[in-house]
C-alpha cells in the first residue's frame, strides 16, 4: 500500500502532512526575529544605548550571521562558507510607514510585513527562484520594543532553516548555491508530535516517518512544464515503493511490518523555483486515520506501531536559539533512478 504525503502547510488534512517544520523566526539579543507564522521578542536593547553588536545588524545583502547564546547576545558576522544561522537578503526601513510616535506593531502586523516585504527581497536575492515550500524560510530581525521607542525602524530580512521546535539549524554555504528541496538523508527518522511530524530523532525513538530514499522528479518530468499532483503520484508511487523495498531489504518487508510507503508532492511554486527532489518514506496511520501513529524502530529491525496518538512534543526549545541537535544531513544532488511512468 502506498500513499502520497500531502504537505501544503495546513491546507491538507493533518493525517497526511509530511516533515515540514513549523515556521518560527530567530531571536538575536538586541533585536527579535520573526518569520511568516510567528513573531518573537527575545533579549532587549537598553533604552539609550546601541545594540551589543551593531555591525552584525548592519549586515549587507549576502552577509551571514551566527550566534551561540540562546538569546543571540553574541551575534556576529561570519563567512557564509562557515556554519551560520541567518543569511541577509536585505534591510528595510519602516520609517515611511511608522512615524516617531507610532505604537509598536502587533505580532500579526509584523508577520504581514515580513511576508509582504521580505519575501520579494528573498526572491530577488535568489534570482526569482525562492521556493516558499522548500528548505529555507524567510524571516526577519525586527527592533525590540525599547529600540522602537527610541526610533529604530530597521527590518533585516533573511533566510534561515527552522526546526519545528523553533530552534534554528546551522547551514554551510550560501543559499544561492544550494538546492532548496526539503529532503533528508535516507535513514533519517522524523519524530512525532501528537499525530503530526516532528524534528529528526533516533529511529529507536517514537517517530512518524522514516526516510527511505530521495526521488528526483526531473527524471520522469524533464520539461519545464509543471506536472500536476496526479502525474507526480503516478511516477512517484512505483519509484518510492521500489526505493522502500531496496532500503528495507526485500519486497515483502514493508508490508510484513505493517508500514505504508509515502511520498511528497511539489506545488507549482516549488516547481517554478527549480525544486525537483522529494522524500520517499515509511509510516503508519492511526486506526481512525486521524494522523500518524507512533512507530518505534527502523524498518530494518524490530518495529512497533502504536494504536493511540503520541503525546505532543514538549515545548522545551528556545525559538531562535541554535538547535541542540545536529542539523539533518541533506543528501547531495546526485541523479536518482528514473521512476516508471505507470502507476502501481
Amino acid at each position: 500500500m502506498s500513499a502520497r504525503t500531502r504537505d501544503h502547510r495546513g491546507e491538507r488534512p493533518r493525517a497526511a502532512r509530511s516533515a515540514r517544520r513549523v515556521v518560527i523566526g530567530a531571536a538575536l539579543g538586541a533585536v527579535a526575529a520573526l518569520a511568516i507564522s510567528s513573531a518573537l521578542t527575545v533579549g532587549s536593547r537598553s533604552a539609550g544605548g546601541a545594540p551589543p553588536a551593531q555591525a552584525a545588524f548592519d549586515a549587507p545583502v549576502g552577509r551571514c550571521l551566527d550566534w551561540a547564546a540562546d538569546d543571540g547576545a553574541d551575534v556576529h558576522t561570519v563567512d557564509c562558507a562557515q556554519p551560520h544561522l541567518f543569511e541577509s537578503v536585505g534591510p528595510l526601513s519602516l520609517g515611511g510607514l511608522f512615524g516617531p510616535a507610532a505604537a509598536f506593531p502587533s505580532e500579526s502586523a509584523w508577520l504581514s510585513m515580513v511576508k509582504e516585504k521580505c519575501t520579494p527581497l528573498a526572491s530577488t536575492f535568489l534570482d526569482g527562484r525562492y521556493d516558499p515550500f522548500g528548505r529555507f524560510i524567510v524571516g526577519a530581525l525586527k527592533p525590540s520594543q525599547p529600540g522602537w521607542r527610541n526610533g529604530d525602524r530597521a527590518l533585516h530580512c533573511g533566510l534561515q532553516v527552522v526546526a519545528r521546535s523553533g530552534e534554528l539549524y546551522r547551514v554551510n554555504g550560501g543559499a544561492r548555491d544550494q538546492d532548496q528541496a526539503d529532503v533528508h538523508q535516507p535513514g533519517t527518522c522524523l519524530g512525532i508530535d501528537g499525530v503530526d511530524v516532528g524534528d529528526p530523532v533516533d529511529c529507536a525513538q517514537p517517530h512518524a516517518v522514516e526516510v527511505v530514499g530521495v526521488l528526483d522528479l526531473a527524471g520522469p518530468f524533464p520539461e519545464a512544464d509543471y506536472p500536476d499532483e496526479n502525474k507526480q503520484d503516478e511516477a512517484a508511487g512505483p519509484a518510492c515503493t521500489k526505493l522502500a523495498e531496496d532500503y528495507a531489504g526485500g519486497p515483502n518487508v514493508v508490508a510484513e511490518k505493517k508500514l505504508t510507503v509515502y511520498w511528497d508532492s511539489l506545488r507549482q511554486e516549488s516547481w517554478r523555483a527549480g525544486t525537483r527532489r522529494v522524500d520517499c518514506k515509511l509510516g503508519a496511520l492511526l486506526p481512525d486515520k486521524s494522523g500518524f501513529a507512533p512507530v518505534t524502530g527502523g524498518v530494518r529491525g524490530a518495529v512497533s506501531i502504536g494504536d493511540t496518538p503520541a503525546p505532543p512534543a514538549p515545548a522545551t526549545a528556545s525559538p531562535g536559539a541554535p538547535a541542540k541537535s545536529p542539523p539533518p544531513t541533506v543528501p547531495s544532488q546526485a541523479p536518482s533512478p528514473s521512476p516508471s511512468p505507470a502507476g502501481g
Side-chain angles (χ1 to χ4, degrees):
M1 177 180 179
S2 61
R4 169 165 46 87
T5 299
R6 299 179 179 230
D7 170 37
H8 293 188
R9 289 201 175 164
E11 298 180 8
R12 300 284 182 165
R14 287 174 59 86
R17 288 188 195 165
S18 77
R20 197 74 63 196
R21 294 169 298 278
V22 171
V23 182
I24 303 178
L28 296 188
V31 297
L34 63 156
I36 292 174
S37 71
S38 182
L40 306 169
T41 301
V42 178
S44 63
R45 176 184 297 174
S46 60
Q54 183 66 49
F57 304 122
D58 289 337
V61 175
R63 185 69 57 84
C64 292
L65 307 178
D66 192 51
W67 57 95
D70 284 358
D71 65 358
D74 59 339
V75 62
H76 55 282
T77 59
V78 297
D79 188 299
C80 291
Q82 303 300 316
H84 57 272
L85 298 171
F86 189 92
E87 181 172 3
S88 172
V89 299
L92 288 171
S93 174
L94 303 178
L97 297 175
F98 300 96
F104 190 74
S106 66
E107 180 176 342
S108 61
W110 280 118
L111 299 178
S112 295
M113 282 187 280
V114 171
K115 181 176 182 179
E116 295 171 7
K117 297 182 179 299
C118 290
T119 302
L121 288 181
S123 181
T124 299
F125 179 75
L126 295 171
D127 298 322
R129 298 173 71 83
Y130 171 62
D131 182 353
F133 302 100
R135 180 173 172 235
F136 291 97
I137 302 303
V138 174
L141 312 180
K142 67 178 177 65
S144 64
Q145 292 195 44
W148 183 268
R149 289 194 296 270
N150 283 279
D152 188 350
R153 297 294 186 269
L155 188 69
H156 298 270
C157 303
L159 294 166
Q160 52 199 19
V161 176
V162 188
R164 288 185 62 88
S165 65
E167 293 180 332
L168 301 182
Y169 288 122
R170 285 190 168 87
V171 177
N172 291 307
R176 284 170 169 160
D177 302 322
Q178 299 191 41
D179 181 9
Q180 295 182 58
D182 191 13
V183 293
H184 302 80
Q185 194 73 26
T188 301
C189 285
L190 301 172
I192 190 161
D193 181 1
V195 298
D196 210 348
V197 179
D199 290 329
V201 297
D202 189 294
C203 292
Q205 299 180 28
H207 55 271
V209 292
E210 179 179 1
V211 178
V212 297
V214 175
L215 178 64
D216 190 346
L217 290 172
F221 305 110
E223 304 298 328
D225 293 342
Y226 173 71
D228 64 32
E229 292 181 355
N230 289 331
K231 291 180 179 178
Q232 293 181 51
D233 288 349
E234 290 175 359
C240 284
T241 298
K242 180 62 166 60
L243 287 173
E245 291 173 351
D246 292 345
Y247 175 89
N252 301 317
V253 176
V254 172
E256 288 171 352
K257 297 190 177 181
K258 296 181 170 50
L259 295 170
T260 299
V261 180
Y262 293 90
W263 57 88
D264 295 331
S265 60
L266 296 173
R267 297 189 66 174
Q268 287 193 27
E269 297 92 331
S270 299
W271 195 267
R272 286 197 298 267
T275 301
R276 296 292 185 271
R277 299 195 297 164
V278 297
D279 277 337
C280 301
K281 46 207 167 188
L282 295 175
L285 294 182
L286 292 165
D288 63 2
K289 312 300 183 185
S290 62
F292 283 111
V295 177
T296 304
V299 68
R300 293 170 174 171
V303 171
S304 173
I305 301 175
D307 57 8
T308 58
T316 58
S318 299
K324 304 301 184 294
S325 58
T329 303
V330 179
S332 60
Q333 196 171 6
S336 299
S338 296
S340 165

